[in-house]
């Protein structure tokens, strides 16, 4: 059980056909469209695709409980990044570059699914969330709070400099930990925050978390290039896509900086704030 009014249950179901694992996701925040409907439709459309998504096994509205099948594979990008920084080989069958490219392909498949279900999530809501986070931090860390206000104003200015992208089905919490690898196959899990949003929301969040773990520009470019290539004609203006991705990456980095402040994590704050200033300067 973690923050954000959610928890995860793991069931082992034993029957005549053997044993299988089922994950239960409990949420106290409610949703306009039950996520099992969205995940079920996505599973149907991904049939035959190289990307797997879990099959929905039901929705219990009284408990806000959704049930999902377990998928084979492990989150291998984190260990592969750690191995790269040590100069060692990745632990899985794929190279780090191949897995990062697979993440770009997964995002393109999700965004190109054509599913128009899920709550809307706009850049305005992201900025409002940052305002709430800053209000929590300000009484306890006034000096960093003033720095956060300056960063926020830069992010808000970035939001005004480019037009929003057309919304699509988005994961909402697209990080490398959500991609599982089983040999050369990949699977996307954890659809708690699924929504309709600009594709840059997922892309920016992925890049922010990737840079925090290992600030390797070539991997960031590998991810974006793979996404653009897999998306094909759906990317109407690559410059606009990259501009909006830089915006959402800055939003995610500011969220991470404020979270580090709330946890009195000085090291984490130095890492994320340094990356934030670097990305704002680049944008």
């Amino acid at each position: 059980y973690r923050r954000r009014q959610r928890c995860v249950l793991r069931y082992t179901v034993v029957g005549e056909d053997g044993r299988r694992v089922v994950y239960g996701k409990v949420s106290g925040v409610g949703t306009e469209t039950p996520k099992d409907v969205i995940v079920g439709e996505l599973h149907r459309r991904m049939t035959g695709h190289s990307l797997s998504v879990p099959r929905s096994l039901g929705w219990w509205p009284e408990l806000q409980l959704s049930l999902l099948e377990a998928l084979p594979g492990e989150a291998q990008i984190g260990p592969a990044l750690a191995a790269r920084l040590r100069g060692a080989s990745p632990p899985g069958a794929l190279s780090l570059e191949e897995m990062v490219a697979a993440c770009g392909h997964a995002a393109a498949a999700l965004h190109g699914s054509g599913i128009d279900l899920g709550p809307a999530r706009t850049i305005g809501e992201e900025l409002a969330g940052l305002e709430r986070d800053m209000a929590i931090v300000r009484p306890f860390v006034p000096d960093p709070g003033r720095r956060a206000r300056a960063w926020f104003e830069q992010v808000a200015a970035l939001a005004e400099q480019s037009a929003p992208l057309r919304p699509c089905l988005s994961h909402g919490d697209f990080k490398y930990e959500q991609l599982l690898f089983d040999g050369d196959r990949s699977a996307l899990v954890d659809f708690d925050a699924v929504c309709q949003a600009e594709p840059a929301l997922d892309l920016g969040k992925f890049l922010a978390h990737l840079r925090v773990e290992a600030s390797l520009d070539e991997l960031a470019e590998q991810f974006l290039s793979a996404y653009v290539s897999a998306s094909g004609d759906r990317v109407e203006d690559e410059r606009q896509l990259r501009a909006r991705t830089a915006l959402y990456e800055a939003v995610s980095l500011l969220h991470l900086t404020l979270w580090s402040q709330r946890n009195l994590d000085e090291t984490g704050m130095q890492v994320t704030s340094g990356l934030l200033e670097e990305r704002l300067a680049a944008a």
Side-chain angles (χ1 to χ4, degrees), residues 2 15 53 81 97 99 109 114 127 137 145 148 179 191 201 219 243 279:
R2 303 181 69 185
V53 297
L81 285 168
E97 286 77 11
M99 288 190 287
L127 295 176
V137 168
L179 270 293
F191 290 88
L201 169 69
L219 287 179
R279 301 318 301 158

Side-chain angles (χ1 to χ4, degrees), residues 69-99:
E69 69 174 344
L71 293 176
E74 298 178 354
Q76 294 181 5
I77 290 184
L81 285 168
R84 171 66 59 86
L85 295 177
R86 297 194 310 270
S89 300
L94 299 178
S95 69
L96 180 55
E97 286 77 11
E98 287 172 324
M99 288 190 287

Side-chain angles (χ1 to χ4, degrees), residues 85-208:
L85 295 177
R86 297 194 310 270
S89 300
L94 299 178
S95 69
L96 180 55
E97 286 77 11
E98 287 172 324
M99 288 190 287
V100 168
C103 292
H105 295 156
L110 176 67
H111 297 162
S113 66
I115 298 173
D116 59 0
L117 301 173
R121 186 168 162 185
T122 65
I123 188 61
E125 292 174 84
E126 299 301 305
L127 295 176
L130 287 173
E131 290 269 25
R132 289 191 294 271
D133 283 355
M134 287 191 295
I136 293 171
V137 168
R138 194 176 299 115
F140 305 101
V141 280
D143 288 337
R146 281 191 285 271
R147 290 175 65 198
R149 169 55 59 178
W151 288 326
F152 174 83
E153 290 173 356
Q154 287 181 270
V155 171
L158 274 180
E160 296 292 328
Q161 291 173 12
S162 59
L165 300 165
R166 184 182 299 114
C168 60
L169 184 70
S170 298
H171 188 275
D173 194 27
F174 192 78
K175 300 178 292 192
Y176 59 78
E177 297 98 323
Q178 318 293 24
L179 270 293
L180 308 181
F181 291 90
D182 181 30
D184 59 355
R185 290 193 58 82
S186 59
L188 180 61
V189 297
D190 290 344
F191 290 88
D192 295 337
V194 66
C195 59
Q196 292 287 318
E198 296 182 58
L201 169 69
D202 286 345
L203 305 182
K205 174 160 285 204
F206 183 92
L207 290 176

